Amino acid sequence: MATDYDAIFKAYDVRGTVGDQIDADGARAIGGAFARFIAASGATTVLVGRDMRPEGEEFSAAFGDGAMDHGLDVVDVGLCATDMLYYASGSLDLPGAVFTASHNPAGYNGIKMCGAGAAPIGADTGLEAIKSMAIAGPDPEATKGTRTSRDLLGDYVAHVRSFVDVDALAPLLVVADTANGMGGLVVPAVFEGLHLTLDHLFPELDGTFPNHPADPLQPENLRDLQSRVLEVDADVGMAFDGDADRMFLVDENARPVSGSLTTAIIARTVLEREPGATIIHNLICSRTVPEAIAEAGGTAVRTQVGHSIIKQAMADTGAIFGGEHSGHYYFRDNYRADSGLIAALMVLEALSHHPAGLSDLVSDFDRYASSGELNTTVDDAAVVIERVAAAYPNARQDRLDGLTVDLGDWWFNLRPSNTEPLLRLNLEAPTPDEVQQRLAEIQALIA
């Protein structure tokens, strides 16, 4: 079946089910379109990598063939985490593409693309143009390009380690659940030889995900990690998603730590190094994040949700770091790209200086209760948003990304999905009971 371009081109990447939505022919067409898009800015070489999904080798080879048909040289970096591809793009100043469906279950695949220097490519910065060119079909007029291979794992490991003083790391026991994803390649490589003991769950690269889905945002996918942390009396647990660009923490008591609280920990750490620096956070992060940034003497900048938006805001403001509640952490010195492993090492460095443990370190920032992100299917998101806004006429409201309503001691954000008929609700209040009370209030308005 032909590739369904309308289905697979999303706001920030390409993603769909293998066979009925994306196939090798589609990968080749997108490779050719990507080549034409980046050649317009003078590029002559493209990096191509892949995760461990079964069709990744076939699809990435087809993508490379499409790029070579349009005159570009292809550097195949082989199996790689998404942040490893971003590192390669930044350090070599080349555009790149990695075949991955991130946290999606088996049966999915996709492509994350970036410009030279790991510059983000989203719907407004090239994806729509690439989609149009892929649909239009090939236009190979140039001499066919070449393909070479390059192993960048060692260089990537050195880069990740450069963000911390590895000699100052305490001999912590770390349980890492890489869920048969690409963390199985990069996590042990980064940890090797450090003063840390790694207890590794599900290290085998297996894109059928035989143990549990590689989506640590879902609480049920943390259960194996939580059990193992308690079983071995670990100092910390770390869960990585399928392409290892996101990382979630579990403390020594097996309690999950949100992406917001991890953002606050890292923000304080980087502000100790660069006092007064600017930190980016998206608008669904906990209120504790801008509070922690201000308390540490930094400048907090609030943005919409989405990696291309965060990266652009970092470029515009010179921010040193950016965090999202979803577990993406961005670093200026990582070409403004996100990296789960850099975030992991920075947390371990902070924990090395805090012998009371991760739960105590987190307690400084654990100030509010939150709903997590709740999705509701609606017929007309805009109509629902206006109805909810009208119910709070005296509250402070903004439309930076959907609708944010601030009622003093509690707030919520309601925003439409970029790709589905869904409204996404995030709500924060002083206590869990008040979260439930306010949720019922908002959900009644949505319904």
Side-chain angles (χ1 to χ4, degrees):
M1 181 177 178
T3 291
D4 186 345
Y5 295 102
D6 287 332
I8 65 174
F9 272 80
K10 311 295 187 181
Y12 305 114
D13 61 9
V14 172
R15 203 174 303 188
T17 49
V18 174
D20 60 336
Q21 292 184 333
I22 184 170
D23 58 14
D25 289 338
R28 183 171 189 143
I30 296 169
F34 184 62
R36 291 162 65 187
F37 174 76
I38 61 174
S41 60
T44 60
T45 303
V46 60
L47 299 159
V48 181
R50 57 186 168 86
D51 72 10
M52 66 292 133
R53 292 171 188 264
E55 58 289 324
E57 188 170 3
E58 177 191 10
F59 283 12
S60 62
F63 181 96
D65 288 341
M68 290 190 296
D69 286 344
H70 288 77
L72 265 69
D73 295 329
V74 170
V75 177
D76 183 354
V77 299
L79 286 165
C80 68
T82 290
D83 72 330
M84 185 172 160
L85 189 280
Y86 291 152
Y87 160 72
S89 173
S91 62
L92 300 174
D93 199 28
L94 294 173
V98 58
F99 273 78
T100 181
S102 186
H103 61 278
N104 283 98
Y108 281 79
N109 213 318
I111 321 167
K112 293 183 178 180
M113 292 172 267
C114 63
I121 294 178
D124 297 331
T125 52
L127 271 186
E128 284 298 320
I130 293 167
K131 173 185 173 182
S132 297
M133 286 187 280
I135 293 170
D139 183 24
E141 298 178 353
T143 302
K144 190 175 179 71
T146 63
R147 191 194 318 260
T148 56
S149 297
R150 184 162 179 175
D151 181 359
L152 292 168
L153 181 60
D155 293 341
Y156 163 78
V157 167
H159 172 69
V160 170
R161 291 180 175 186
S162 73
F163 283 78
V164 300
D165 178 0
V166 295
D167 293 328
L169 294 175
L172 302 168
L173 173 55
V174 182
V175 179
D177 182 351
T178 57
N180 301 109
M182 287 311 303
L185 174 69
V186 295
V187 170
V190 168
F191 277 52
E192 184 179 5
L194 301 182
H195 306 311
L196 302 163
T197 299
L198 175 64
D199 188 275
H200 197 166
L201 290 178
F202 315 127
E204 303 83 10
L205 303 185
D206 187 342
T208 67
F209 305 110
N211 294 288
H212 63 74
D215 183 5
L217 194 58
Q218 304 306 318
E220 61 270 21
N221 296 328
L222 295 176
R223 289 172 186 157
D224 291 319
L225 176 64
Q226 291 169 298
S227 296
R228 186 64 176 170
V229 164
L230 294 176
E231 179 184 347
V232 301
D233 195 24
D235 295 292
V236 59
M238 295 181 166
F240 293 83
D241 70 346
D243 60 338
D245 62 349
R246 287 192 299 155
M247 184 275 302
F248 285 86
L249 296 169
V250 169
D251 72 17
E252 75 277 15
N253 301 313
R255 180 170 177 254
V257 178
S258 73
S260 286
L261 299 187
T262 303
T263 294
I265 292 170
I266 298 172
R268 186 165 72 180
T269 300
V270 299
L271 286 167
E272 289 171 355
R273 299 178 183 175
E274 293 197 25
T278 296
I279 309 287
I280 304 294
H281 67 95
N282 72 23
L283 51 70
I284 64 170
C285 279
S286 168
R287 188 176 279 170
T288 198
V289 174
E291 289 174 354
I293 294 167
E295 288 160 8
T299 299
V301 174
R302 176 174 173 265
T303 73
Q304 296 168 262
V305 174
H307 79 100
S308 60
I309 292 164
I310 296 275
K311 292 173 182 175
Q312 187 59 53
M314 292 182 73
D316 292 342
T317 63
I320 185 175
F321 170 66
E324 294 195 273
H325 186 73
S326 58
H328 288 281
Y329 313 105
Y330 306 80
F331 300 89
R332 179 196 62 201
D333 297 335
N334 188 47
Y335 313 100
R336 296 188 291 273
D338 45 326
S339 173
L341 261 171
I342 293 173
L345 283 191
M346 294 197 74
V347 169
L348 292 174
E349 185 177 49
L351 191 54
S352 296
H353 298 298
H354 197 89
L358 182 57
S359 60
D360 188 74
L361 179 61
V362 169
S363 67
D364 288 347
F365 308 113
D366 195 5
R367 306 168 184 177
Y368 307 101
S370 67
S371 64
E373 188 158 271
L374 304 173
N375 295 319
T376 305
T377 302
V378 296
D379 292 330
D380 191 326
V383 168
V384 175
I385 285 175
E386 294 309 319
R387 181 166 67 240
V388 174
Y392 300 96
N394 299 319
R396 190 169 64 206
Q397 301 186 9
D398 71 62
R399 302 298 181 105
L400 176 63
D401 192 347
L403 169 71
T404 300
V405 179
D406 187 338
L407 294 113
D409 62 344
W410 69 284
W411 64 270
F412 67 89
N413 173 265
L414 191 63
R415 72 187 203 285
S417 165
N418 287 310
T419 57
E420 303 169 273
L422 297 175
L423 274 177
R424 307 193 190 280
L425 172 63
N426 287 268
L427 185 150
E428 187 172 63
T431 66
D433 286 346
E434 189 165 358
V435 166
Q436 294 306 312
Q437 174 190 340
R438 299 303 185 182
L439 271 180
E441 182 180 315
I442 303 302
Q443 288 172 327
L445 288 167
I446 293 173

